[in-house]
């Protein structure tokens, strides 16, 4: 894959800024709202719910910033795709909640699945040099 068409490199950078920036912001929200999120994580059966909230927040911040910078794209996109798919199923199990919670959980589930799709698209492009990136990579 090459970014040879007019504006492709700039559009890819914009996509990285939007995608990674939103995920990093979501991660920061885990830190600022940990007291509200930990009981939710506990209700979903996560072990060490407070630690899980902070760990997931850290993953989102670090991986989101890495996507923005174009640093370690395989690790960042792979970690995000995995986290988003796992959290969709474990945290937003709309099929197993009372009827008054179905819509909220389905929205969260679909958001995570859609974002995982974006992470997988970035993972597919991770083997190509990303324009406007810091160029740090392991693979």
């Amino acid at each position: 894959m090459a970014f040879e068409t007019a504006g492709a490199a700039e559009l890819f950078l914009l996509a990285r800024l939007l995608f990674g920036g939103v995920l990093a912001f979501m991660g920061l929200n885990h830190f600022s709202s940990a007291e509200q999120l930990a009981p939710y994580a506990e209700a979903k059966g996560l072990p060490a719910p407070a630690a899980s909230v902070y760990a997931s927040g850290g993953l989102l911040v670090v991986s989101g910033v890495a996507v923005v910078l174009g640093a370690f794209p395989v690790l960042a996109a792979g970690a995000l795709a995995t986290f988003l798919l796992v959290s969709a199923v474990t945290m937003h199990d709309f099929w197993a909640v009372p009827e008054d919670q179905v819509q909220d959980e389905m929205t969260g589930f679909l958001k995570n699945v859609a974002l995982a799709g974006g992470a997988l698209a970035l993972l597919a492009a991770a083997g190509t040099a990303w324009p406007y990136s810091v160029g740090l990579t392991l693979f």
Side-chain angles (χ1 to χ4, degrees):
M1 172 190 291
F3 298 95
E4 297 172 357
T5 59
E10 292 75 17
L11 283 174
F12 190 69
L13 174 60
L14 179 60
R16 288 180 12 227
L17 290 168
L18 294 172
F19 184 78
V22 165
L23 289 166
F25 180 80
M26 288 169 54
L28 291 174
N29 187 56
H30 281 219
F31 292 105
S32 65
S33 302
E35 288 183 19
Q36 292 83 26
L37 295 174
Y40 178 73
E42 184 175 26
K44 293 295 185 172
L46 286 182
S52 296
V53 168
Y54 287 113
S56 61
L59 182 141
L60 287 167
V61 170
V62 170
S63 297
V65 169
V67 165
V68 168
L69 296 175
F72 307 106
V74 171
L75 294 176
L80 287 168
T82 302
F83 168 75
L84 289 163
L85 289 172
V86 168
S87 66
V89 174
T90 59
M91 300 301 292
H92 302 295
D93 53 347
F94 65 89
W95 54 89
V97 298
E99 189 174 333
D100 64 330
Q101 297 173 18
V102 169
Q103 188 60 53
D104 287 342
E105 293 297 350
M106 185 183 295
T107 299
F109 177 88
L110 293 173
K111 172 203 59 138
N112 280 21
V113 170
L115 287 169
L120 290 171
L122 288 173
L123 186 57
T128 300
W130 287 6
Y132 305 108
S133 76
V134 295
L136 298 172
T137 185
L138 294 177
F139 306 101

